[in-house]
Amino acid sequence: MLKPPDPAPQPQTLLPPPSALTLWLCGVAGAWLMYFAVFLQVPQASLGNAAINALANVAPLALLAAGAHLLIKRHVMRLSVPAQIISHVLIGSAFAATWFALVTLALALVSYGQFDLSGFTGGAFIWQNLQGLVLYWALAATTYAVRGGRSAAPVTIVSAPPLERYLTRKGDDIAPVHVRDIIVIAGAQDYAEVTTLADTHLVRMSLSEFEQRLDPQRFIRVHRSRIINIDHLDYAEPAGAGRLIAHMTDGTTVALSRTGSQSLRALIV
């Protein structure tokens, strides 16, 4: 008997991810529920009063949080790190003070004919402003955590080919340097001192920047301040304590760190 064919697999229906507006409304509703539960603990508080007082706190908070989120995402994140820190201190203080003022106004409007702008005093004043600061920093942290969102452009990492040659000055002249002729590179603060088969010259590039441009199959960082080209390595000898000394073909000797010695030993086959 012929076995009947298996039924074709049914495509799975994937639910679309929630929109940013949906998440925002859920967050506002959650905040309102928490404030509602708190106001229910007030002596002689009715369900209606608790609901209105919770809304008077959460509605200004939701509007301020939306504005602060856009401000951070569109402007603050583009600043330097020190400028971002200063901006957050200033915006956070303004956020807390504005929320306090708006909550005071909202509570006065819903005070059933008793329009009172006296607001909070004493410990309640301190607590209300502390809430504002804490909520702002939570908002800022969340904005940084989800920056870019689901509409962020894809990032393509392009690997640049290893450096093969560069130009350097020799007096008033400009001459090419072939990377294959480099023997040793030594760090000299913001410069790199390059020893080649022909001469020694300075390159306006730090050792770490130079290392990133070189072929890792030929150039090894053997010390915090030294890179060698193993094509010009004559031999290496033990120097004790797990270290090596590299002897280059031009007669230069380079003391290797423990990490550099391990990197060189890793090439032994």
PDB file of all heavy atoms in Angstrom, residues 24 27-29 31-33 35 39 51-67 95 98-99 102-103 105-107 109-110 128 135:
ATOM      1  N   TRP A  24       3.722  52.299  25.557  1.00  0.00           N
ATOM      2  CA  TRP A  24       3.645  53.520  26.354  1.00  0.00           C
ATOM      3  C   TRP A  24       2.339  53.566  27.139  1.00  0.00           C
ATOM      4  O   TRP A  24       2.324  53.885  28.338  1.00  0.00           O
ATOM      5  CB  TRP A  24       3.753  54.731  25.431  1.00  0.00           C
ATOM      6  CG  TRP A  24       3.950  56.024  26.164  1.00  0.00           C
ATOM      7  CD1 TRP A  24       3.022  56.981  26.410  1.00  0.00           C
ATOM      8  CD2 TRP A  24       5.156  56.480  26.767  1.00  0.00           C
ATOM      9  NE1 TRP A  24       3.570  58.019  27.117  1.00  0.00           N
ATOM     10  CE2 TRP A  24       4.889  57.739  27.350  1.00  0.00           C
ATOM     11  CE3 TRP A  24       6.435  55.959  26.854  1.00  0.00           C
ATOM     12  CZ2 TRP A  24       5.846  58.472  28.023  1.00  0.00           C
ATOM     13  CZ3 TRP A  24       7.399  56.696  27.526  1.00  0.00           C
ATOM     14  CH2 TRP A  24       7.102  57.923  28.098  1.00  0.00           C
ATOM     15  N   GLY A  27       2.470  51.219  30.031  1.00  0.00           N
ATOM     16  CA  GLY A  27       3.266  51.771  31.123  1.00  0.00           C
ATOM     17  C   GLY A  27       2.495  52.821  31.908  1.00  0.00           C
ATOM     18  O   GLY A  27       2.545  52.856  33.147  1.00  0.00           O
ATOM     19  N   VAL A  28       1.761  53.694  31.202  1.00  0.00           N
ATOM     20  CA  VAL A  28       0.963  54.727  31.876  1.00  0.00           C
ATOM     21  C   VAL A  28      -0.135  54.074  32.720  1.00  0.00           C
ATOM     22  O   VAL A  28      -0.379  54.477  33.867  1.00  0.00           O
ATOM     23  CB  VAL A  28       0.349  55.689  30.839  1.00  0.00           C
ATOM     24  CG1 VAL A  28      -0.634  56.645  31.509  1.00  0.00           C
ATOM     25  CG2 VAL A  28       1.453  56.476  30.134  1.00  0.00           C
ATOM     26  N   ALA A  29      -0.783  53.049  32.151  1.00  0.00           N
ATOM     27  CA  ALA A  29      -1.831  52.354  32.905  1.00  0.00           C
ATOM     28  C   ALA A  29      -1.264  51.678  34.153  1.00  0.00           C
ATOM     29  O   ALA A  29      -1.879  51.705  35.223  1.00  0.00           O
ATOM     30  CB  ALA A  29      -2.516  51.319  32.003  1.00  0.00           C
ATOM     31  N   ALA A  31       1.410  52.646  35.856  1.00  0.00           N
ATOM     32  CA  ALA A  31       1.718  53.691  36.833  1.00  0.00           C
ATOM     33  C   ALA A  31       0.447  54.173  37.525  1.00  0.00           C
ATOM     34  O   ALA A  31       0.428  54.401  38.745  1.00  0.00           O
ATOM     35  CB  ALA A  31       2.428  54.860  36.148  1.00  0.00           C
ATOM     36  N   TRP A  32      -0.656  54.312  36.736  1.00  0.00           N
ATOM     37  CA  TRP A  32      -1.921  54.758  37.337  1.00  0.00           C
ATOM     38  C   TRP A  32      -2.431  53.738  38.361  1.00  0.00           C
ATOM     39  O   TRP A  32      -2.903  54.112  39.435  1.00  0.00           O
ATOM     40  CB  TRP A  32      -2.963  54.971  36.242  1.00  0.00           C
ATOM     41  CG  TRP A  32      -4.300  55.388  36.791  1.00  0.00           C
ATOM     42  CD1 TRP A  32      -4.708  56.652  37.110  1.00  0.00           C
ATOM     43  CD2 TRP A  32      -5.392  54.519  37.125  1.00  0.00           C
ATOM     44  NE1 TRP A  32      -5.982  56.639  37.615  1.00  0.00           N
ATOM     45  CE2 TRP A  32      -6.440  55.332  37.645  1.00  0.00           C
ATOM     46  CE3 TRP A  32      -5.585  53.148  37.046  1.00  0.00           C
ATOM     47  CZ2 TRP A  32      -7.645  54.802  38.059  1.00  0.00           C
ATOM     48  CZ3 TRP A  32      -6.793  52.621  37.461  1.00  0.00           C
ATOM     49  CH2 TRP A  32      -7.815  53.438  37.962  1.00  0.00           C
ATOM     50  N   LEU A  33      -2.324  52.451  38.042  1.00  0.00           N
ATOM     51  CA  LEU A  33      -2.774  51.418  38.971  1.00  0.00           C
ATOM     52  C   LEU A  33      -1.983  51.458  40.278  1.00  0.00           C
ATOM     53  O   LEU A  33      -2.551  51.284  41.369  1.00  0.00           O
ATOM     54  CB  LEU A  33      -2.656  50.039  38.322  1.00  0.00           C
ATOM     55  CG  LEU A  33      -3.704  49.698  37.259  1.00  0.00           C
ATOM     56  CD1 LEU A  33      -3.367  48.373  36.588  1.00  0.00           C
ATOM     57  CD2 LEU A  33      -5.098  49.642  37.886  1.00  0.00           C
ATOM     58  N   TYR A  35      -0.431  54.139  41.607  1.00  0.00           N
ATOM     59  CA  TYR A  35      -0.840  55.317  42.367  1.00  0.00           C
ATOM     60  C   TYR A  35      -2.241  55.127  42.933  1.00  0.00           C
ATOM     61  O   TYR A  35      -2.544  55.558  44.055  1.00  0.00           O
ATOM     62  CB  TYR A  35      -0.787  56.563  41.482  1.00  0.00           C
ATOM     63  CG  TYR A  35       0.554  57.242  41.502  1.00  0.00           C
ATOM     64  CD1 TYR A  35       1.526  56.938  40.556  1.00  0.00           C
ATOM     65  CD2 TYR A  35       0.865  58.178  42.483  1.00  0.00           C
ATOM     66  CE1 TYR A  35       2.766  57.543  40.572  1.00  0.00           C
ATOM     67  CE2 TYR A  35       2.101  58.806  42.520  1.00  0.00           C
ATOM     68  CZ  TYR A  35       3.050  58.478  41.559  1.00  0.00           C
ATOM     69  OH  TYR A  35       4.274  59.076  41.600  1.00  0.00           O
ATOM     70  N   PHE A  39      -3.317  55.569  46.861  1.00  0.00           N
ATOM     71  CA  PHE A  39      -4.326  56.512  47.358  1.00  0.00           C
ATOM     72  C   PHE A  39      -5.488  55.805  48.041  1.00  0.00           C
ATOM     73  O   PHE A  39      -6.201  56.425  48.836  1.00  0.00           O
ATOM     74  CB  PHE A  39      -4.833  57.396  46.211  1.00  0.00           C
ATOM     75  CG  PHE A  39      -3.888  58.498  45.840  1.00  0.00           C
ATOM     76  CD1 PHE A  39      -3.254  58.523  44.615  1.00  0.00           C
ATOM     77  CD2 PHE A  39      -3.612  59.524  46.743  1.00  0.00           C
ATOM     78  CE1 PHE A  39      -2.379  59.538  44.277  1.00  0.00           C
ATOM     79  CE2 PHE A  39      -2.736  60.554  46.415  1.00  0.00           C
ATOM     80  CZ  PHE A  39      -2.109  60.558  45.179  1.00  0.00           C
ATOM     81  N   ALA A  51      -9.040  57.287  42.330  1.00  0.00           N
ATOM     82  CA  ALA A  51      -8.826  57.232  40.887  1.00  0.00           C
ATOM     83  C   ALA A  51      -8.463  58.600  40.329  1.00  0.00           C
ATOM     84  O   ALA A  51      -7.557  58.742  39.489  1.00  0.00           O
ATOM     85  CB  ALA A  51     -10.077  56.690  40.192  1.00  0.00           C
ATOM     86  N   ILE A  52      -9.162  59.651  40.790  1.00  0.00           N
ATOM     87  CA  ILE A  52      -8.895  61.001  40.285  1.00  0.00           C
ATOM     88  C   ILE A  52      -7.531  61.496  40.748  1.00  0.00           C
ATOM     89  O   ILE A  52      -6.764  62.095  39.980  1.00  0.00           O
ATOM     90  CB  ILE A  52     -10.013  61.956  40.738  1.00  0.00           C
ATOM     91  CG1 ILE A  52     -11.326  61.585  40.037  1.00  0.00           C
ATOM     92  CG2 ILE A  52      -9.637  63.394  40.430  1.00  0.00           C
ATOM     93  CD1 ILE A  52     -12.516  62.383  40.510  1.00  0.00           C
ATOM     94  N   ASN A  53      -7.194  61.260  42.013  1.00  0.00           N
ATOM     95  CA  ASN A  53      -5.893  61.693  42.525  1.00  0.00           C
ATOM     96  C   ASN A  53      -4.755  60.963  41.818  1.00  0.00           C
ATOM     97  O   ASN A  53      -3.695  61.554  41.539  1.00  0.00           O
ATOM     98  CB  ASN A  53      -5.811  61.449  44.031  1.00  0.00           C
ATOM     99  CG  ASN A  53      -6.669  62.418  44.816  1.00  0.00           C
ATOM    100  OD1 ASN A  53      -6.920  63.536  44.363  1.00  0.00           O
ATOM    101  ND2 ASN A  53      -7.139  62.000  45.981  1.00  0.00           N
ATOM    102  N   ALA A  54      -4.948  59.681  41.511  1.00  0.00           N
ATOM    103  CA  ALA A  54      -3.929  58.931  40.771  1.00  0.00           C
ATOM    104  C   ALA A  54      -3.756  59.509  39.371  1.00  0.00           C
ATOM    105  O   ALA A  54      -2.631  59.659  38.874  1.00  0.00           O
ATOM    106  CB  ALA A  54      -4.313  57.454  40.700  1.00  0.00           C
ATOM    107  N   LEU A  55      -4.875  59.861  38.724  1.00  0.00           N
ATOM    108  CA  LEU A  55      -4.804  60.451  37.382  1.00  0.00           C
ATOM    109  C   LEU A  55      -4.120  61.812  37.420  1.00  0.00           C
ATOM    110  O   LEU A  55      -3.361  62.160  36.505  1.00  0.00           O
ATOM    111  CB  LEU A  55      -6.213  60.584  36.810  1.00  0.00           C
ATOM    112  CG  LEU A  55      -6.307  61.113  35.376  1.00  0.00           C
ATOM    113  CD1 LEU A  55      -5.601  60.168  34.414  1.00  0.00           C
ATOM    114  CD2 LEU A  55      -7.759  61.307  34.969  1.00  0.00           C
ATOM    115  N   ALA A  56      -4.365  62.593  38.478  1.00  0.00           N
ATOM    116  CA  ALA A  56      -3.730  63.909  38.603  1.00  0.00           C
ATOM    117  C   ALA A  56      -2.222  63.794  38.716  1.00  0.00           C
ATOM    118  O   ALA A  56      -1.483  64.716  38.328  1.00  0.00           O
ATOM    119  CB  ALA A  56      -4.298  64.639  39.823  1.00  0.00           C
ATOM    120  N   ASN A  57      -1.725  62.686  39.242  1.00  0.00           N
ATOM    121  CA  ASN A  57      -0.281  62.458  39.330  1.00  0.00           C
ATOM    122  C   ASN A  57       0.289  61.882  38.045  1.00  0.00           C
ATOM    123  O   ASN A  57       1.377  62.269  37.603  1.00  0.00           O
ATOM    124  CB  ASN A  57       0.035  61.508  40.493  1.00  0.00           C
ATOM    125  CG  ASN A  57       0.070  62.205  41.836  1.00  0.00           C
ATOM    126  OD1 ASN A  57       1.109  62.659  42.293  1.00  0.00           O
ATOM    127  ND2 ASN A  57      -1.097  62.308  42.465  1.00  0.00           N
ATOM    128  N   VAL A  58      -0.431  60.953  37.432  1.00  0.00           N
ATOM    129  CA  VAL A  58       0.124  60.195  36.312  1.00  0.00           C
ATOM    130  C   VAL A  58       0.006  60.951  34.991  1.00  0.00           C
ATOM    131  O   VAL A  58       0.899  60.862  34.136  1.00  0.00           O
ATOM    132  CB  VAL A  58      -0.560  58.819  36.213  1.00  0.00           C
ATOM    133  CG1 VAL A  58      -0.110  58.071  34.968  1.00  0.00           C
ATOM    134  CG2 VAL A  58      -0.237  57.989  37.452  1.00  0.00           C
ATOM    135  N   ALA A  59      -1.075  61.701  34.785  1.00  0.00           N
ATOM    136  CA  ALA A  59      -1.250  62.403  33.510  1.00  0.00           C
ATOM    137  C   ALA A  59      -0.110  63.389  33.231  1.00  0.00           C
ATOM    138  O   ALA A  59       0.499  63.356  32.144  1.00  0.00           O
ATOM    139  CB  ALA A  59      -2.605  63.107  33.483  1.00  0.00           C
ATOM    140  N   PRO A  60       0.251  64.281  34.180  1.00  0.00           N
ATOM    141  CA  PRO A  60       1.407  65.152  33.919  1.00  0.00           C
ATOM    142  C   PRO A  60       2.707  64.367  33.752  1.00  0.00           C
ATOM    143  O   PRO A  60       3.563  64.731  32.937  1.00  0.00           O
ATOM    144  CB  PRO A  60       1.462  66.047  35.166  1.00  0.00           C
ATOM    145  CG  PRO A  60       0.121  65.964  35.775  1.00  0.00           C
ATOM    146  CD  PRO A  60      -0.383  64.595  35.470  1.00  0.00           C
ATOM    147  N   LEU A  61       2.836  63.278  34.529  1.00  0.00           N
ATOM    148  CA  LEU A  61       4.042  62.464  34.429  1.00  0.00           C
ATOM    149  C   LEU A  61       4.186  61.859  33.041  1.00  0.00           C
ATOM    150  O   LEU A  61       5.278  61.847  32.460  1.00  0.00           O
ATOM    151  CB  LEU A  61       4.000  61.355  35.484  1.00  0.00           C
ATOM    152  CG  LEU A  61       5.144  60.338  35.457  1.00  0.00           C
ATOM    153  CD1 LEU A  61       6.470  61.029  35.727  1.00  0.00           C
ATOM    154  CD2 LEU A  61       4.888  59.235  36.479  1.00  0.00           C
ATOM    155  N   ALA A  62       3.073  61.367  32.469  1.00  0.00           N
ATOM    156  CA  ALA A  62       3.125  60.750  31.144  1.00  0.00           C
ATOM    157  C   ALA A  62       3.526  61.758  30.078  1.00  0.00           C
ATOM    158  O   ALA A  62       4.350  61.463  29.197  1.00  0.00           O
ATOM    159  CB  ALA A  62       1.764  60.136  30.806  1.00  0.00           C
ATOM    160  N   LEU A  63       2.966  62.964  30.153  1.00  0.00           N
ATOM    161  CA  LEU A  63       3.312  63.998  29.171  1.00  0.00           C
ATOM    162  C   LEU A  63       4.771  64.422  29.290  1.00  0.00           C
ATOM    163  O   LEU A  63       5.487  64.556  28.284  1.00  0.00           O
ATOM    164  CB  LEU A  63       2.389  65.204  29.352  1.00  0.00           C
ATOM    165  CG  LEU A  63       0.901  64.968  29.047  1.00  0.00           C
ATOM    166  CD1 LEU A  63       0.080  66.205  29.382  1.00  0.00           C
ATOM    167  CD2 LEU A  63       0.717  64.592  27.576  1.00  0.00           C
ATOM    168  N   LEU A  64       5.235  64.633  30.530  1.00  0.00           N
ATOM    169  CA  LEU A  64       6.630  65.025  30.738  1.00  0.00           C
ATOM    170  C   LEU A  64       7.591  63.925  30.296  1.00  0.00           C
ATOM    171  O   LEU A  64       8.630  64.199  29.686  1.00  0.00           O
ATOM    172  CB  LEU A  64       6.858  65.357  32.213  1.00  0.00           C
ATOM    173  CG  LEU A  64       6.381  66.729  32.693  1.00  0.00           C
ATOM    174  CD1 LEU A  64       6.548  66.829  34.193  1.00  0.00           C
ATOM    175  CD2 LEU A  64       7.145  67.844  31.994  1.00  0.00           C
ATOM    176  N   ALA A  65       7.246  62.681  30.614  1.00  0.00           N
ATOM    177  CA  ALA A  65       8.119  61.567  30.247  1.00  0.00           C
ATOM    178  C   ALA A  65       8.234  61.434  28.736  1.00  0.00           C
ATOM    179  O   ALA A  65       9.315  61.156  28.214  1.00  0.00           O
ATOM    180  CB  ALA A  65       7.589  60.273  30.863  1.00  0.00           C
ATOM    181  N   ALA A  66       7.122  61.629  28.025  1.00  0.00           N
ATOM    182  CA  ALA A  66       7.166  61.556  26.559  1.00  0.00           C
ATOM    183  C   ALA A  66       8.076  62.642  25.988  1.00  0.00           C
ATOM    184  O   ALA A  66       8.897  62.390  25.097  1.00  0.00           O
ATOM    185  CB  ALA A  66       5.755  61.685  25.990  1.00  0.00           C
ATOM    186  N   GLY A  67       7.940  63.864  26.509  1.00  0.00           N
ATOM    187  CA  GLY A  67       8.799  64.948  26.034  1.00  0.00           C
ATOM    188  C   GLY A  67      10.258  64.727  26.369  1.00  0.00           C
ATOM    189  O   GLY A  67      11.149  64.975  25.539  1.00  0.00           O
ATOM    190  N   PHE A  95      12.655  68.446  35.237  1.00  0.00           N
ATOM    191  CA  PHE A  95      11.606  67.436  35.167  1.00  0.00           C
ATOM    192  C   PHE A  95      10.900  67.309  36.513  1.00  0.00           C
ATOM    193  O   PHE A  95       9.662  67.332  36.596  1.00  0.00           O
ATOM    194  CB  PHE A  95      12.218  66.101  34.751  1.00  0.00           C
ATOM    195  CG  PHE A  95      11.240  64.968  34.607  1.00  0.00           C
ATOM    196  CD1 PHE A  95      10.705  64.660  33.367  1.00  0.00           C
ATOM    197  CD2 PHE A  95      10.875  64.187  35.698  1.00  0.00           C
ATOM    198  CE1 PHE A  95       9.801  63.616  33.218  1.00  0.00           C
ATOM    199  CE2 PHE A  95       9.979  63.146  35.568  1.00  0.00           C
ATOM    200  CZ  PHE A  95       9.443  62.852  34.313  1.00  0.00           C
ATOM    201  N   THR A  98       8.968  70.625  37.381  1.00  0.00           N
ATOM    202  CA  THR A  98       7.779  70.807  36.543  1.00  0.00           C
ATOM    203  C   THR A  98       6.686  69.816  36.915  1.00  0.00           C
ATOM    204  O   THR A  98       5.500  70.160  36.963  1.00  0.00           O
ATOM    205  CB  THR A  98       8.147  70.636  35.053  1.00  0.00           C
ATOM    206  OG1 THR A  98       9.208  71.535  34.726  1.00  0.00           O
ATOM    207  CG2 THR A  98       6.955  70.917  34.160  1.00  0.00           C
ATOM    208  N   TRP A  99       7.070  68.574  37.192  1.00  0.00           N
ATOM    209  CA  TRP A  99       6.068  67.582  37.593  1.00  0.00           C
ATOM    210  C   TRP A  99       5.405  67.986  38.907  1.00  0.00           C
ATOM    211  O   TRP A  99       4.194  67.873  39.064  1.00  0.00           O
ATOM    212  CB  TRP A  99       6.717  66.203  37.718  1.00  0.00           C
ATOM    213  CG  TRP A  99       5.748  65.100  38.015  1.00  0.00           C
ATOM    214  CD1 TRP A  99       4.529  64.905  37.435  1.00  0.00           C
ATOM    215  CD2 TRP A  99       5.918  64.050  38.974  1.00  0.00           C
ATOM    216  NE1 TRP A  99       3.919  63.788  37.958  1.00  0.00           N
ATOM    217  CE2 TRP A  99       4.748  63.238  38.911  1.00  0.00           C
ATOM    218  CE3 TRP A  99       6.935  63.702  39.862  1.00  0.00           C
ATOM    219  CZ2 TRP A  99       4.580  62.117  39.711  1.00  0.00           C
ATOM    220  CZ3 TRP A  99       6.758  62.579  40.658  1.00  0.00           C
ATOM    221  CH2 TRP A  99       5.604  61.793  40.576  1.00  0.00           C
ATOM    222  N   LEU A 102       2.927  70.767  38.101  1.00  0.00           N
ATOM    223  CA  LEU A 102       1.751  70.284  37.374  1.00  0.00           C
ATOM    224  C   LEU A 102       0.853  69.428  38.264  1.00  0.00           C
ATOM    225  O   LEU A 102      -0.376  69.495  38.164  1.00  0.00           O
ATOM    226  CB  LEU A 102       2.191  69.493  36.141  1.00  0.00           C
ATOM    227  CG  LEU A 102       2.847  70.304  35.022  1.00  0.00           C
ATOM    228  CD1 LEU A 102       3.308  69.391  33.892  1.00  0.00           C
ATOM    229  CD2 LEU A 102       1.878  71.362  34.493  1.00  0.00           C
ATOM    230  N   VAL A 103       1.446  68.608  39.120  1.00  0.00           N
ATOM    231  CA  VAL A 103       0.641  67.805  40.037  1.00  0.00           C
ATOM    232  C   VAL A 103      -0.108  68.707  41.014  1.00  0.00           C
ATOM    233  O   VAL A 103      -1.297  68.496  41.311  1.00  0.00           O
ATOM    234  CB  VAL A 103       1.529  66.799  40.796  1.00  0.00           C
ATOM    235  CG1 VAL A 103       0.754  66.140  41.942  1.00  0.00           C
ATOM    236  CG2 VAL A 103       2.042  65.729  39.848  1.00  0.00           C
ATOM    237  N   LEU A 105      -1.072  71.775  40.465  1.00  0.00           N
ATOM    238  CA  LEU A 105      -2.154  72.406  39.711  1.00  0.00           C
ATOM    239  C   LEU A 105      -3.293  71.425  39.449  1.00  0.00           C
ATOM    240  O   LEU A 105      -4.475  71.759  39.603  1.00  0.00           O
ATOM    241  CB  LEU A 105      -1.606  72.952  38.394  1.00  0.00           C
ATOM    242  CG  LEU A 105      -2.627  73.588  37.445  1.00  0.00           C
ATOM    243  CD1 LEU A 105      -3.295  74.793  38.115  1.00  0.00           C
ATOM    244  CD2 LEU A 105      -1.952  74.008  36.144  1.00  0.00           C
ATOM    245  N   ALA A 106      -2.955  70.200  39.073  1.00  0.00           N
ATOM    246  CA  ALA A 106      -3.985  69.198  38.776  1.00  0.00           C
ATOM    247  C   ALA A 106      -4.798  68.861  40.018  1.00  0.00           C
ATOM    248  O   ALA A 106      -6.030  68.735  39.955  1.00  0.00           O
ATOM    249  CB  ALA A 106      -3.324  67.941  38.205  1.00  0.00           C
ATOM    250  N   LEU A 107      -4.137  68.709  41.154  1.00  0.00           N
ATOM    251  CA  LEU A 107      -4.858  68.407  42.388  1.00  0.00           C
ATOM    252  C   LEU A 107      -5.748  69.575  42.806  1.00  0.00           C
ATOM    253  O   LEU A 107      -6.836  69.378  43.376  1.00  0.00           O
ATOM    254  CB  LEU A 107      -3.874  68.066  43.506  1.00  0.00           C
ATOM    255  CG  LEU A 107      -3.119  66.735  43.344  1.00  0.00           C
ATOM    256  CD1 LEU A 107      -2.092  66.566  44.445  1.00  0.00           C
ATOM    257  CD2 LEU A 107      -4.090  65.554  43.340  1.00  0.00           C
ATOM    258  N   LEU A 109      -7.224  71.581  40.706  1.00  0.00           N
ATOM    259  CA  LEU A 109      -8.367  71.592  39.784  1.00  0.00           C
ATOM    260  C   LEU A 109      -9.409  70.542  40.131  1.00  0.00           C
ATOM    261  O   LEU A 109     -10.585  70.699  39.784  1.00  0.00           O
ATOM    262  CB  LEU A 109      -7.874  71.386  38.352  1.00  0.00           C
ATOM    263  CG  LEU A 109      -7.047  72.521  37.741  1.00  0.00           C
ATOM    264  CD1 LEU A 109      -6.496  72.131  36.382  1.00  0.00           C
ATOM    265  CD2 LEU A 109      -7.900  73.789  37.616  1.00  0.00           C
ATOM    266  N   VAL A 110      -8.972  69.461  40.771  1.00  0.00           N
ATOM    267  CA  VAL A 110      -9.929  68.398  41.089  1.00  0.00           C
ATOM    268  C   VAL A 110     -10.315  68.407  42.576  1.00  0.00           C
ATOM    269  O   VAL A 110     -10.768  67.395  43.103  1.00  0.00           O
ATOM    270  CB  VAL A 110      -9.337  67.011  40.725  1.00  0.00           C
ATOM    271  CG1 VAL A 110      -9.058  66.937  39.243  1.00  0.00           C
ATOM    272  CG2 VAL A 110      -8.068  66.713  41.529  1.00  0.00           C
ATOM    273  N   GLN A 128       7.977  64.175  46.969  1.00  0.00           N
ATOM    274  CA  GLN A 128       7.451  64.359  45.619  1.00  0.00           C
ATOM    275  C   GLN A 128       8.570  64.684  44.627  1.00  0.00           C
ATOM    276  O   GLN A 128       8.612  64.155  43.524  1.00  0.00           O
ATOM    277  CB  GLN A 128       6.406  65.472  45.614  1.00  0.00           C
ATOM    278  CG  GLN A 128       5.686  65.674  44.294  1.00  0.00           C
ATOM    279  CD  GLN A 128       4.719  64.561  43.968  1.00  0.00           C
ATOM    280  OE1 GLN A 128       4.327  63.810  44.860  1.00  0.00           O
ATOM    281  NE2 GLN A 128       4.335  64.443  42.708  1.00  0.00           N
ATOM    282  N   LEU A 135      12.244  58.989  38.843  1.00  0.00           N
ATOM    283  CA  LEU A 135      11.518  58.622  37.629  1.00  0.00           C
ATOM    284  C   LEU A 135      12.245  59.133  36.376  1.00  0.00           C
ATOM    285  O   LEU A 135      12.274  58.451  35.347  1.00  0.00           O
ATOM    286  CB  LEU A 135      10.098  59.175  37.681  1.00  0.00           C
ATOM    287  CG  LEU A 135       9.168  58.470  38.671  1.00  0.00           C
ATOM    288  CD1 LEU A 135       7.867  59.233  38.820  1.00  0.00           C
ATOM    289  CD2 LEU A 135       8.897  57.039  38.210  1.00  0.00           C
TER     290      LEU A 135
END
